[in-house]
Amino acid sequence: MGEAYTFRLAKVTDIEDIVGIEQSSFTVPWSKEAFYREIVENQFAYYLVIEDHFQPIGYCGIWLVMDEAHVTNIAILPSYRGRKLGEQLMKEAIKLAKRHGAQTMTLEARVSNHVAQNLYKKLGFEAGGIRKNYYSDNGEDALVMWVEL
């Protein structure tokens, strides 16, 4: 079954699936309109999807500005978690960022999300600071993490 997983850039037709993944993953999900603006209108945004037999099961958004990549969001459908697909998706995002000239990559993770932090550390990310009250649903702080590409 693992050999069926593929990665590609997201298209407008993926927005419904991406929104479904987003809603199943986050307490304050981005809207359909927000993803439309990201995928269609934002010249700095790149969204990757991971598919299982041509069905999106996860996505990762990055902004590429100058020589820096910023991960805006990443999610895998709950039924596919625990299979290291998030790690594979992050590795693909890193490859994409490098191809576009990024020298560094940054992201935020909830201070309570140790699973995500451990994944990012495994990929070479290091803690760089705290953004106080970053998450609007509960005011939780975000851990800012960086990696040199």
Side-chain angles (χ1 to χ4, degrees):
M1 188 163 153
E3 67 277 357
Y5 300 126
T6 55
F7 301 89
R8 63 170 173 78
L9 287 174
K11 303 176 286 198
V12 173
T13 54
D14 295 317
I15 291 174
E16 291 291 336
D17 290 318
I18 290 171
V19 169
I21 296 163
E22 174 85 358
Q23 290 174 343
S24 71
S25 301
F26 299 108
T27 55
V28 182
W30 285 17
S31 67
K32 180 179 177 180
E33 293 76 20
F35 281 108
Y36 180 86
R37 283 191 304 274
E38 285 290 286
I39 292 170
V40 175
E41 298 173 4
N42 185 343
Q43 66 179 341
F44 303 109
Y46 293 81
Y47 277 73
L48 290 170
V49 294
I50 179 174
E51 297 178 312
D52 182 10
H53 295 92
F54 306 104
Q55 177 62 41
I57 59 166
Y59 70 91
C60 180
I62 58 175
W63 288 354
L64 292 165
V65 181
M66 306 291 282
D67 62 352
E68 183 180 307
H70 182 100
V71 177
T72 57
N73 39 23
I74 180 170
I76 300 289
L77 277 174
S79 59
Y80 283 85
R81 292 183 190 154
R83 303 181 197 185
K84 301 195 181 295
L85 299 175
E87 180 178 344
Q88 291 178 39
L89 186 54
M90 276 298 297
K91 286 178 177 177
E92 290 296 318
I94 289 169
K95 286 182 199 173
L96 175 69
K98 285 180 177 180
R99 281 196 306 269
H100 286 273
Q103 301 290 314
T104 60
M105 182 176 267
T106 185
L107 53 79
E108 293 88 12
R110 287 180 182 267
V111 293
S112 64
N113 191 344
H114 300 291
V115 172
Q117 291 173 36
N118 288 337
L119 166 62
Y120 304 140
K121 287 176 186 173
K122 183 177 179 181
L123 296 173
F125 284 82
E126 296 179 1
I130 298 287
R131 293 195 201 282
K132 290 295 214 181
N133 303 312
Y134 185 76
Y135 292 97
S136 62
D137 61 333
N138 64 359
E140 185 174 357
D141 296 346
L143 177 65
V144 180
M145 301 184 79
W146 292 84
V147 67
E148 296 283 332
L149 304 176

